[in-house]
Amino acid sequence: MLVAGSTVLSIPSSGIRLAAVLSLCRHYHYSPAVPLQETLKGTHPPPTCERITPLKAVADQLVLDLTPDSKYHELVDKGVLRKDDYQDHIVNKLQHLHDQIARYNPPSVPPVHSLQPRSFFSRLFSSSSSSEPLRSQLKGLYLYGTVGTGKTMLMDLFYDTLPPNSEKLGKRRVHFHAFMIDVHKRMHKLRMQHGWDGVEDVVAPVARDLAEEARVLCFDEFQVTDIVDAMILRRLLECLLQHGVVSIMTSNGSSRHPDDLYKNGIQRQSFLPCIDLIKERFDVTDLNSHTDYRKIPRALSKVYFDPANDENRRQMNGIWDTLTAHTKVMHNEVMNVWGHKLRIPESTGTGIARFSFEDLCGRPMGAADYLEITNRFHTLFIMDIPQMGLNQKDKARRFITLIDACYENKTRLFVLSEVPVPLIFSDDPISKDKRISDHMRSTMDDLGLSDDVVGSSAMFSGEEELFAFARACSRLIQMGTKEWAEAARG
């Protein structure tokens, strides 16, 4: 921060390097008595500067120059990313939305008292779920494509380069699982606080609060597998759009066009208006890149151990002992999650925990449980993961949900398994004679998965299951890399 009389120049830390600021100061003949490095570190009060106006203009321009397009091509030039024409096409769309947000003036959020919830019958006999037109003038962006093609990376790039006014608008980047859990918690809290028992529509006041907190929402892994979510999503999206919320969503699967959301779901007919709303209010875009960047060879770090023999168990125990050497290991600590208790077999106050596979996946647990665990612990040890067949389908589904939570929260994993990690869902990875179903083969080809990666499994049949399975395989590969281990929390 620089001060000239009553004029203050705040230099944001993101997007402007110290060297660039120093260069600007030299350009404008700024030579403070206190070194600028000390001022920026906060160790000295801000000095004065007579030529603050031109310096502020140039500094502001540097912030404005941090855009999806400039950041993407900077990463390509540095070799961090590979040039990809498909991704370049998406970046152009992100840049267009970025420019629109920079000039965006959304409608004001209505006061709380104007959003009393409607009863079930008032909604049932209403000709429309909303009497107001959708006021957001900006179309959102819905990205879909196969696993590992860079959707999440591009969305994060968009979020990290949002224009300066997004701080005033409010912005939020969240995994869709976690977002819907938050929505349900808010609905439950409203019912309890205001005695709205029996009143179905508490979505509107929840949407109002969400819009007040953030007018720019970035959803990763948008998917609908739960009937409760399916029934409230249309109303939720309508209300958010009425309040001027702009959203960008990613959804996995080459066929996960909005028309394929909640496919074969219970009461899907009631969900179709939500699909129509997405197609109307979002720019639906297929990433359509056939490169899975997670499978580009990298130097693997030793975080996965198989088979589950004595030697590998000793190595896992040695890593555990090293990481917990200077902290107390607690046994059978209890976490409270959504009104029930979760037992943590071994954990430390520094964010490390050890579970057996049965502890995590052998009992009824869901996304909320796994998100709580991975929020609390940055490093997980999972022991004795078996090779799963048809008789362990429920456990396999839970493990996939756990992997999604670990990936979202950048959790570091150490695993001891019966077979190599990418093959744990395969009921017979060795047999060359076992026939893979035509549906499975088509999906594997579409996702770029080979027999040696997934083995031969009849466990997953529906499209939603296959894509979740493929995503888990892809993520497990990425989470076993040195880059992931170094970037993970902890």
Side-chain angles (χ1 to χ4, degrees):
M1 182 172 65
L2 307 177
V3 179
S6 60
T7 304
V8 178
L9 167 60
S10 295
I11 301 176
S13 58
S14 62
I16 299 183
R17 297 176 179 173
L18 176 59
V21 178
L22 291 172
S23 175
L24 286 171
C25 290
R26 285 192 295 270
H27 180 74
Y28 285 98
H29 312 293
Y30 169 60
S31 181
V34 179
L36 184 58
Q37 292 95 326
E38 300 303 315
T39 300
L40 294 178
K41 290 177 183 176
T43 55
H44 285 79
T48 60
C49 175
E50 294 180 358
R51 302 202 62 180
I52 196 71
T53 302
L55 177 58
K56 181 180 187 303
V58 176
D60 286 347
Q61 187 60 47
L62 279 174
V63 177
L64 292 173
D65 286 344
L66 186 64
T67 67
D69 184 75
S70 66
K71 186 63 178 176
Y72 176 76
H73 286 97
E74 176 189 339
L75 293 173
V76 170
D77 292 342
K78 289 181 177 179
V80 177
L81 298 177
R82 293 189 178 189
K83 178 69 174 175
D84 187 314
D85 290 338
Y86 294 110
Q87 287 186 351
D88 201 42
H89 170 64
I90 305 303
V91 169
N92 289 335
K93 289 179 177 285
L94 296 176
Q95 183 64 46
H96 178 66
L97 185 56
H98 172 282
D99 295 342
Q100 288 182 311
I101 291 173
R103 303 186 297 270
Y104 188 41
N105 184 26
S108 59
V109 176
V112 177
H113 62 75
S114 67
L115 291 170
Q116 291 300 316
R118 295 182 297 160
S119 70
F120 172 77
F121 289 104
S122 67
R123 290 194 301 122
L124 183 64
F125 295 108
S126 169
S127 60
S128 170
S129 61
S130 173
S131 59
E132 298 182 52
L134 299 179
R135 296 185 290 178
S136 174
Q137 300 301 308
L138 302 187
K139 268 195 170 186
L141 187 59
Y142 180 101
L143 299 177
Y144 70 103
T146 55
V147 294
T149 49
K151 297 179 302 299
T152 297
M153 179 277 294
L154 289 169
M155 188 183 69
D156 287 343
L157 182 146
F158 173 77
Y159 184 82
D160 292 339
T161 59
L162 280 167
N165 67 318
S166 65
E167 298 295 337
K168 182 179 179 181
L169 293 172
K171 60 181 181 178
R172 182 182 181 189
R173 188 259 190 238
V174 61
H175 192 278
F176 190 69
H177 254 321
F179 177 75
M180 291 309 298
I181 289 171
D182 181 35
V183 168
H184 287 300
K185 283 182 177 180
R186 291 172 186 248
M187 291 170 64
H188 177 73
K189 184 178 179 180
L190 280 175
R191 287 195 175 102
M192 296 299 100
Q193 284 182 339
H194 300 286
W196 290 344
D197 292 335
V199 177
E200 294 287 328
D201 185 12
V202 295
V203 176
V206 168
R208 179 219 171 270
D209 291 344
L210 291 168
E212 190 172 49
E213 294 168 10
R215 300 298 185 92
V216 181
L217 284 177
C218 295
F219 295 123
D220 197 19
E221 304 291 356
F222 182 85
Q223 58 181 323
V224 186
T225 57
D226 184 279
I227 185 174
V228 179
D229 290 349
M231 293 304 101
I232 69 172
L233 262 175
R234 175 197 176 189
R235 177 76 174 138
L236 181 63
L237 287 178
E238 281 180 337
C239 292
L240 290 173
L241 289 168
Q242 286 167 6
H243 300 322
V245 173
V246 183
S247 301
I248 175 173
M249 306 175 180
T250 69
S251 183
N252 272 335
S254 60
S255 63
R256 197 66 62 81
H257 185 278
D259 286 336
D260 294 312
L261 287 170
Y262 197 49
K263 203 166 188 178
N264 303 318
I266 299 172
Q267 298 183 27
R268 187 174 188 265
Q269 194 69 26
S270 301
F271 182 68
L272 295 181
C274 182
I275 292 176
D276 292 337
L277 183 65
I278 292 173
K279 291 193 293 185
E280 177 189 353
R281 299 300 307 161
F282 288 78
D283 180 0
V284 178
T285 304
D286 184 357
L287 186 56
N288 199 29
S289 177
H290 300 289
T291 303
D292 186 342
Y293 289 96
R294 298 176 192 159
K295 294 179 183 176
I296 296 174
R298 302 177 179 96
L300 293 179
S301 54
K302 188 65 172 175
V303 295
Y304 297 155
F305 294 84
D306 68 87
N309 56 25
D310 290 342
E311 174 59 28
N312 285 328
R313 195 175 300 276
R314 278 194 295 271
Q315 290 194 55
M316 284 280 285
N317 289 337
I319 296 172
W320 170 265
D321 291 341
T322 299
L323 294 180
T324 62
H326 302 291
T327 186
K328 179 182 178 182
V329 176
M330 298 168 285
H331 297 272
N332 298 318
E333 289 287 299
V334 174
M335 286 177 61
N336 290 309
V337 181
W338 285 71
H340 68 274
K341 298 183 183 300
L342 286 178
R343 184 182 66 87
I344 313 299
E346 295 178 273
S347 61
T348 72
T350 56
I352 305 171
R354 178 158 61 177
F355 298 84
S356 71
F357 174 82
E358 288 297 319
D359 289 328
L360 288 172
C361 303
R363 48 184 172 161
M365 294 177 70
D369 301 301
Y370 297 132
L371 286 169
E372 287 289 339
I373 290 171
T374 54
N375 278 331
R376 178 167 173 179
F377 300 108
H378 57 71
T379 301
L380 292 183
F381 285 70
I382 306 177
M383 311 294 287
D384 300 310
I385 299 177
Q387 182 180 3
M388 287 173 268
L390 283 170
N391 62 334
Q392 294 171 300
K393 190 170 183 177
D394 287 343
K395 293 180 181 181
R397 285 171 171 165
R398 292 179 198 129
F399 186 69
I400 287 172
T401 304
L402 170 62
I403 294 304
D404 286 344
C406 290
Y407 187 86
E408 174 63 22
N409 283 319
K410 293 183 169 55
T411 304
R412 183 167 52 171
L413 277 183
F414 291 93
V415 164
L416 178 65
S417 60
E418 181 182 345
V419 295
V421 164
L423 300 180
I424 58 177
F425 300 112
S426 171
D427 37 32
D428 187 2
I430 300 175
S431 172
K432 303 298 182 183
D433 300 325
K434 186 164 184 175
R435 184 178 181 273
I436 296 174
S437 70
D438 292 339
H439 188 193
M440 180 67 170
R441 172 63 65 192
S442 174
T443 303
M444 288 169 58
D445 291 344
D446 196 27
L447 296 173
L449 296 170
S450 59
D451 295 1
D452 60 341
V453 172
V454 300
S456 55
S457 176
M459 188 185 307
F460 304 105
S461 54
E463 288 189 13
E464 293 287 337
E465 284 188 339
L466 284 171
F467 285 122
F469 163 50
R471 182 178 65 237
C473 290
S474 180
R475 287 179 168 180
L476 282 167
I477 292 171
Q478 183 181 4
M479 293 165 74
T481 64
K482 181 179 179 181
E483 287 85 352
W484 179 272
E486 291 174 348
R489 297 179 299 144

